[in-house]
Structures are given as structure tokens and as C-alpha cells.
Amino acid sequence: MTTSVTELKHSTHVPIVAQFSPQQTELLHQAFPGLDAASLASLASMTRERTIAPGATLCTEGQVEDTFYLICSGRVLVSQQLERDTSRILAYRGAGDFIGELSLLIEGQPRTADVMTLQETTVLEIERAAFLELLQRSPSVVLAVLRVLAARQRESDQKTIGDLRQKYEELAETYRRLKDETSRRSEFLTTVAHELRTPLTVIKGYLMLLRMGAFSKEALAEAIRTVKVNLDTFTRLINNILLLQEIALIKPQFQTVSIGSLIGDLVNTSTALSSFPANLNIWVELANNLPTIQADPAGLSHALGAILDNAVKFSPDGGEIVVRAYADDSKISIQVNDPGIGIAPEELPNIFNHFHHLDTTGAQMFGGIGLGLPLAKAVIEQHCGAIHIESEPGKGSTFAITLPLAGCQRAGG
């Protein structure tokens, strides 16, 4: 529970010092170094010392108050209200700091911030009425005081401007990222719609021709195969979208997995596809006595398969993809190196983003919706592993994956 200073002013537990002490004079001298002894005495004569308990409200934002404070000891928090239930911390003040604004002493303007004591705090109070009286009696003293206060205000304003400039730059950067993210989401949805429409259009067309009896007995088998391939493509796209949305909720089923066998199966499956380029080869290099690993075989197969598919897709000019696997005492390392088109440096930070899709490079067009790499990263991190990419435009890419041999304990394996 906080206590206001107004309440404290009437408390019998708070001593009021009617005459200034040497300590007060010394503090005023430090706060206003340009004043001579007589001027300091005049200023000190209008101050009073007060000790305030922790949690008391010295100033209330928006209120017209008449007291200016110089902190002798203790610590206070200065904050501003942002919304109904939230506030922003502006500063912490301690011994030698002022609490109050020039406009308070001269014009009686409302407070611009809340001030609360964080610990027992002793202050020198200057009432606005007493300050105005001093202005009448000794303008030179007031002028010297105002010069110091103005200098302090400039320092505070410069700091505030610097903080505002930094906040503006942070806000501008956040807006830029939000704009980019919104644009990527829009492009992603457009790409999804296109990629789903393509196999559906093919399936619809072939089914229409089948109903019309347009295929000979010899061509029927090929037509059915084409329908199946496009159905598989459609199903895979839908499954990838759902898997990416749900992967954080899926608990991996860890068991003993042979990385060598898993890589071999993926390579055999990839090269057996009729769409696999004739001018492309995959070379596998496995270290001797490669240990088994605790992993979720379905998820890991999906992740490594997506990386291998990416290598094939972005190697349109052929060449050789090299898949390496080796181990040390704690982890297995897997590298997939392709001879493909590479990735521009500005694209690398976003390559694992859910809504980032490289569909064109130069004059070349590439299909897909760009979910493979985000899925791969999510699965590998689910295994407490890491994935890193090095790439150079026109010279290919290398994906480097590390996986702990013991599996991932935080995933419940």
C-alpha cells in the first residue's frame, strides 16, 4: 500500500526542521555550485527537510502541486502512465537529484510523471510560494538557481530526445519487419493456392477424360499413374502445412535409429523417382562404425528428406550432391552439399522462415511453397540439434546438421 506525501505532511512521525543545518547548506552548495554563501543561506532559509517512508508517492502525474524536491538520501522511481494499468519507468533518482520541473516553480503547471520512494528517503522541500517570495526579495539568487535548473532540464531533455530517437528507430525497424512478414504471408498464401490448384487441375482434367473414354487401353495405366502422382503431391502439400502448424504439439517418439540406413533409404527413394534429373548424381560418404542415435525416425526422415529434396530442386544444371555423415563422442554430424544455384547473402537470414519462399533466381523458376526447410529446422530443434547453412550464389549450398547421440531429454525422449 502506498502513502501520499500529503498524508505524511500531517503525520507526527515526520520531523520538520525549521532552521537549516550545515548538511543542508552543503547539499545546496553541491546542487547549486555557482551560489555564494549569502545566496545559499537565502535559499536554505526557504527549504525544509523531510524524511519519507518507502512506498510513498512524492508526485502524481497530471496533478498541480506546489513542492519542489532535492533528494538528500534514498532512492525514488520516476514513471509515466501509458494506459489504464500500465506505466513506463523513466528513471531512478538518488542523492543530489531534483524532483520537479521549472514550470512547477514558475507557472504551477501539472506534474509530468509519478514519483514514488523506493526506500526511506530524505528530501529538502521548496514550496512554490516561498520560491516566488524569494524571487521578489533576491532576483539574482533566483536567477542563479534557475540557470542550474535549466541546465539540468537540458540534460534531461537531451537524454529524453536520445531515448525517443532510439525508440523511434526500434519502432521503425519493428514496422519494417512487420511489413515484410505481412508481405511474405500474403505471398505464401498465394503460392499455396497456386500449388494446390495445379495438381487438382490435372486430376480434374484426367478424370474428365476418363469419363469420356478418351484413353486407349494402353494409355489408361499411364493416366491412372498421373492421377496418383498428382494426388500424392496434393496430399504431401496438405500434410506439410498441417505438420508445420502442429509440430510444436507433437511429441517425438524416440528410438534407436541408424543414420546410415535412414540416409540410404532417402537417397534410394529420391533417385528412384521418375522426376529425378538424369544429369544429377547423389554420392553418400558414411564414416566407418557410424553409431546409432536416439531419434524419432519419422520426423528425422521428414527433415533430412526435405533438405535432400531442396538440394535436388535447386541443382537444375546437374552435377553431384554429396551427403556425408560422421560422429564424435556426443553427436552425429550430417552435411548435404549441392552444386546448385546457391543463396544470396541477404536471403540467408530468412531461409528457415515459414513464409519465405525462393521461387525465382535469375531467369529460373522453381515450384513449391517453401515449407521444407522450416519443417526441417523445427524437427531438428525438436531433437535438440542444430542446422546451419553456408551458401554462395552460383556455387551451391552446404547444409550442416548436428544431432546429439543420446536424443533430446527435454522433448521427453
Side-chain angles (χ1 to χ4, degrees):
M1 177 179 179
T2 60
T3 307
S4 69
V5 175
T6 303
E7 295 170 345
L8 287 170
K9 286 181 180 178
H10 302 289
S11 172
T12 57
H13 299 292
V14 181
I16 297 179
V17 181
Q19 295 184 349
F20 61 91
S21 65
Q23 290 80 9
Q24 286 177 270
T25 304
E26 177 60 26
L27 182 65
L28 288 170
H29 176 68
Q30 294 175 7
F32 304 101
L35 295 183
D36 56 29
S39 298
L40 284 173
S42 296
L43 184 60
S45 66
M46 56 180 281
T47 67
R48 59 182 175 183
E49 183 178 293
R50 187 180 301 279
T51 299
I52 303 170
T57 301
L58 272 178
C59 307
T60 302
E61 182 181 353
Q63 296 296 313
V64 177
E65 299 170 352
D66 59 3
T67 306
F68 184 86
Y69 301 98
L70 176 60
I71 301 176
C72 301
S73 64
R75 188 171 170 82
V76 301
L77 170 68
V78 184
S79 63
Q80 281 183 329
Q81 294 294 318
L82 296 179
E83 297 177 0
R84 182 178 300 175
D85 299 320
T86 61
S87 61
R88 176 171 68 104
I89 295 175
L90 298 179
Y92 295 93
R93 302 295 188 197
D97 288 327
F98 300 110
I99 299 298
E101 300 87 15
L102 282 173
S103 58
L104 169 72
L105 289 177
I106 304 301
E107 301 173 356
Q109 294 296 313
R111 300 284 192 186
T112 59
D114 293 324
V115 181
M116 185 182 71
T117 56
L118 298 176
Q119 59 191 68
E120 186 175 86
T121 301
T122 301
V123 298
L124 294 182
E125 298 179 342
I126 302 176
E127 300 291 340
R128 179 170 178 267
F131 186 80
L132 294 178
E133 181 183 341
L134 180 64
L135 177 61
Q136 298 295 324
R137 290 191 287 107
S138 182
S140 62
V141 174
V142 172
L143 183 60
V145 171
L146 291 180
R147 285 195 185 114
V148 173
L149 294 180
R152 291 286 186 97
Q153 188 69 51
R154 280 196 300 272
E155 292 176 5
S156 177
D157 289 346
Q158 288 171 357
K159 183 179 183 302
T160 299
I161 290 171
D163 291 342
L164 288 174
R165 183 178 292 113
Q166 180 180 349
K167 294 294 183 185
Y168 171 78
E169 291 172 355
E170 292 173 355
L171 183 61
E173 176 62 20
T174 300
Y175 174 76
R176 185 194 64 77
R177 288 199 302 266
L178 180 61
K179 186 177 179 181
D180 289 347
E181 182 77 2
T182 301
S183 177
R184 284 197 297 267
R185 285 174 182 263
S186 178
E187 291 174 5
F188 172 78
L189 292 175
T190 301
T191 304
V192 167
H194 174 76
E195 292 293 328
L196 291 176
R197 188 184 298 120
T198 299
L200 283 178
T201 301
V202 173
I203 293 168
K204 184 178 179 180
Y206 269 78
L207 289 177
M208 185 179 298
L209 292 172
L210 283 169
R211 287 182 60 187
M212 295 170 57
F215 294 104
S216 65
K217 188 175 294 185
E218 293 77 14
L220 184 59
E222 179 61 24
I224 293 173
R225 191 195 69 80
T226 301
V227 170
K228 181 181 183 303
V229 167
N230 282 273
L231 276 174
D232 290 343
T233 300
F234 183 85
T235 303
R236 185 169 62 254
L237 289 171
I238 294 295
N239 286 341
N240 283 347
I241 294 170
L242 294 176
L243 181 59
L244 189 60
Q245 296 300 315
E246 298 171 359
I247 194 166
L249 306 175
I250 298 174
K251 184 177 179 180
Q253 302 300 312
F254 285 91
Q255 61 189 65
T256 301
V257 174
S258 168
I259 289 294
S261 298
L262 190 147
I263 290 174
D265 291 342
L266 289 173
V267 170
N268 291 335
T269 300
S270 180
T271 55
L273 294 174
S274 60
S275 58
F276 188 81
N279 60 348
L280 189 64
N281 295 312
I282 300 179
W283 180 260
V284 178
E285 296 179 2
L286 303 178
N288 293 329
N289 301 318
L290 196 64
T292 58
I293 184 175
Q294 290 300 306
D296 175 25
L300 196 54
S301 178
H302 201 118
L304 296 181
I307 294 171
L308 187 59
D309 288 346
N310 186 81
V312 173
K313 173 181 174 181
F314 288 101
S315 299
D317 296 328
E320 186 171 80
I321 296 171
V322 180
V323 182
R324 298 183 179 91
Y326 53 93
D328 58 24
D329 293 338
S330 62
K331 66 181 181 299
I332 276 186
S333 297
I334 304 167
Q335 291 182 351
V336 179
N337 176 262
D338 69 63
I341 61 173
I343 303 168
E346 65 271 17
E347 300 286 354
L348 283 174
N350 300 315
I351 202 68
F352 295 110
N353 188 292
H354 292 189
F355 305 106
H356 190 76
H357 176 225
L358 292 176
D359 57 354
T360 61
T361 299
Q364 294 173 310
M365 296 284 295
F366 299 93
I369 57 177
L371 290 182
L373 294 183
L375 271 172
K377 183 174 186 290
V379 170
I380 288 166
E381 290 181 347
Q382 201 177 43
H383 282 69
C384 292
I387 182 169
H388 175 72
I389 180 173
E390 293 182 0
S391 186
E392 185 175 350
K395 295 187 178 180
S397 305
T398 298
F399 286 83
I401 303 126
T402 57
L403 296 165
L405 295 176
C408 184
Q409 296 306 313
R410 73 164 180 259

